[in-house]
Amino acid sequence: MKNMIKKLNKISEEKIITVIFLFIIFSMLIVTLIKNYDEIHKQISDILQNSEKTKYEKILELTKTSDNIINDNIILKSQYIDIYGLIQKTIQKNYIQDSNDRTRDVIKTNENMLTFIQKKEDMITRAKKITNLNRILEEYNIPLMYVQAPYKVRKSEDLPIGIIDYANENADILLEELEKQGVNNIDLREKFKNKDIREEYFITDHHWKIRTAFEASNYITYILNQKYEFNIDEFYTNIDNYNCIKKENSFLGSIGKRVGKYYDGVDDFEYILPNFATNMKITKGDIEAQGTFEDTIIVKDLLENEDIQTNKYACYFGGDYPEIKIENTNILSDKKILVIQDSYGLAFSSMMTLRVKELRTLDLRHFEGKEIDYIREYNPDIVLIMYNPSAFYIEKIFDFE
């Protein structure tokens, strides 16, 4: 009986909140119509008086025009998502569906982290494509290593009951097949499995934190030294040789933007800069620059923008480019690395640029060239492919031509 009363109370509470929310939206609509009455009246009159159009065409145009006016002029438009998210939080809803794109349904994990859910993918075919690339590169004596970036959900128990996520299963199948085929691989999920997930990842974004990317670069540096004789100095892996700058409550990530700042809060954003002398040459798209790491790699406008919705994670390189070339003129190393990456590689590759003579990145979501010809011409000392499991659905990133 007590449980039934609790359920009834919860249902009543949800109904009350829903009514309040609908009242707010209705009020916003009414005020918008009143404020834009003259414009709406004029446009409707023009449409109705157009003798060249049929009644059906007029109805269609009226619908489209009304929709555009409301969408462009509705009051508190920027606060609408925040209000919506606050309502969802109040009724303790941890699964918010996206009617337009089910791959962007928002889930609040049992760790109070926001995530998207990944479906099952054909990882055997994807593994075969990496294996084929590895065999081709072996002919040119260019080693390849696949690096599995970690994922925000570690186990099924992290998710609300009834929610199934295939990201880790996809990654497991991929790595198992690569292992069978003799492709060198590193699973960073194992490296970070004992780390507090809230230290490893942003709460409101699907990316790892910059410090996590730095730690990943340190681990890969260790592997490069041990197995590939890169001889990178430990100086570059010591966090004491870097400045860690934190901007509190300054970042609403890609997932948080879909549900607003009140649903699960706002992230602090910490970025890392070397506190030693640097001189880099960078080419990305039409942009060429030379100077310090901070002046060439970091896009300061993204950090200085006070809007919490600014993508501060993209402050490294400024976001995704088909190809980026970076030459480090302040180091004695003669090593060259090619990183084939998704957006997880932005901070990771930035840190790696400090440790070798030259580093290039390719993002196959945007790169339109012939990857194998590119690699052969560049002739790097190693090719790293680093993807996170939420990118597996993009078949193009596994197409090496």
Side-chain angles (χ1 to χ4, degrees), residues 208 210 213 313 316-317 343-352:
W208 53 8
I210 306 304
Y313 175 79
Y316 290 89
F317 294 134
S343 56
Y344 268 55
L346 294 178
F348 169 84
S349 292
S350 296
M351 299 305 164
M352 293 301 298

Side-chain angles (χ1 to χ4, degrees), residues 4 25 28 75 93 156 187 189 201 250 260 291 303 323 339 349 356:
M4 185 177 292
I25 298 303
M28 291 168 60
I75 65 167
K93 192 171 181 181
S156 59
D187 189 355
R189 295 176 302 167
Y201 272 89
S250 63
L303 294 173
E323 175 196 23
V339 184
S349 292
V356 293

Side-chain angles (χ1 to χ4, degrees), residues 380-394:
D381 293 285
I382 193 168
V383 174
L384 303 178
I385 300 176
M386 187 175 75
Y387 293 147
N388 84 94
S390 64
F392 288 162
Y393 76 96
I394 307 172

Side-chain angles (χ1 to χ4, degrees), residues 7-238:
K7 287 182 180 179
L8 290 173
N9 287 337
K10 185 176 181 180
I11 291 172
S12 298
E13 181 181 293
E14 290 183 4
K15 285 184 176 179
I16 292 172
I17 293 172
T18 301
V19 169
I20 293 173
F21 179 66
L22 291 175
F23 174 75
I24 292 172
I25 298 303
F26 182 74
S27 299
M28 291 168 60
L29 177 60
I30 294 300
V31 174
T32 299
L33 293 175
I34 293 173
K35 288 183 64 176
N36 296 278
Y37 173 80
D38 291 340
E39 180 184 355
I40 294 172
H41 182 267
K42 181 180 183 304
Q43 293 198 32
I44 289 176
S45 297
D46 290 343
I47 293 170
L48 293 176
Q49 292 172 12
N50 189 337
S51 59
E52 297 180 359
K53 293 189 176 182
T54 65
K55 289 183 179 180
Y56 177 71
E57 289 174 333
K58 290 179 180 179
I59 292 173
L60 289 179
E61 189 168 351
L62 282 171
T63 302
K64 182 179 179 180
T65 300
S66 301
D67 188 51
N68 289 338
I69 292 173
I70 292 171
N71 287 334
D72 293 341
N73 298 285
I74 191 166
I75 65 167
L76 301 176
K77 181 180 178 180
S78 60
Q79 286 79 34
Y80 170 79
I81 294 177
D82 289 336
I83 296 171
Y84 175 75
L86 179 61
I87 296 296
Q88 303 306 307
K89 178 180 181 179
T90 304
I91 62 177
Q92 299 180 343
K93 192 171 181 181
N94 54 19
Y95 180 20
I96 302 177
Q97 294 182 333
D98 187 322
S99 58
N100 296 319
D101 185 357
R102 294 304 302 275
T103 65
R104 288 297 175 259
D105 289 351
V106 175
I107 307 296
K108 182 186 287 190
T109 71
N110 296 333
E111 298 284 346
N112 287 323
M113 307 283 283
L114 300 185
T115 188
F116 297 128
I117 294 299
Q118 308 305 315
K119 65 178 184 178
K120 199 166 188 175
E121 303 292 348
D122 178 7
M123 301 311 297
I124 298 296
T125 299
R126 287 159 173 74
K128 287 180 179 178
K129 292 180 178 182
I130 295 177
T131 300
N132 183 59
L133 175 64
N134 184 59
R135 289 172 179 163
I136 294 173
L137 294 186
E138 284 178 343
E139 297 176 6
Y140 302 108
N141 295 315
I142 300 174
L144 179 145
M145 181 166 65
Y146 177 78
V147 181
Q148 181 57 69
Y151 185 60
K152 200 170 187 177
V153 178
R154 290 177 177 160
K155 53 187 183 301
S156 59
E157 290 79 9
D158 295 337
L159 296 170
I161 295 174
I163 303 298
I164 300 175
D165 185 295
Y166 288 99
N168 285 307
E169 181 179 326
N170 289 335
D172 291 341
I173 294 171
L174 176 65
L175 292 173
E176 182 180 351
E177 190 65 22
L178 292 178
E179 193 69 29
K180 287 180 182 178
Q181 300 300 325
V183 179
N184 292 325
N185 61 88
I186 297 294
D187 189 355
L188 290 179
R189 295 176 302 167
E190 286 295 310
K191 175 66 177 176
F192 294 112
K193 66 181 181 181
N194 295 321
K195 187 180 180 72
D196 185 340
I197 194 69
R198 296 174 73 87
E199 293 181 5
E200 183 183 359
Y201 272 89
F202 294 108
I203 295 171
T204 67
D205 197 78
H206 65 287
H207 293 108
W208 53 8
K209 291 185 176 181
I210 306 304
R211 188 178 287 262
T212 312
F214 178 83
E215 293 173 6
S217 70
N218 286 352
Y219 184 61
I220 297 304
T221 295
Y222 169 79
I223 299 298
L224 293 177
N225 284 346
Q226 292 294 312
K227 294 186 176 182
Y228 301 95
E229 300 180 349
F230 265 57
N231 300 317
I232 297 171
D233 197 305
E234 291 182 358
F235 174 87
Y236 298 104
T237 63
N238 187 344

Side-chain angles (χ1 to χ4, degrees), residues 239-251:
I239 193 65
D240 292 337
N241 296 320
Y242 295 80
N243 295 320
C244 302
I245 306 161
K246 180 182 287 188
K247 300 171 72 71
E248 295 185 350
N249 299 317
S250 63
F251 179 48

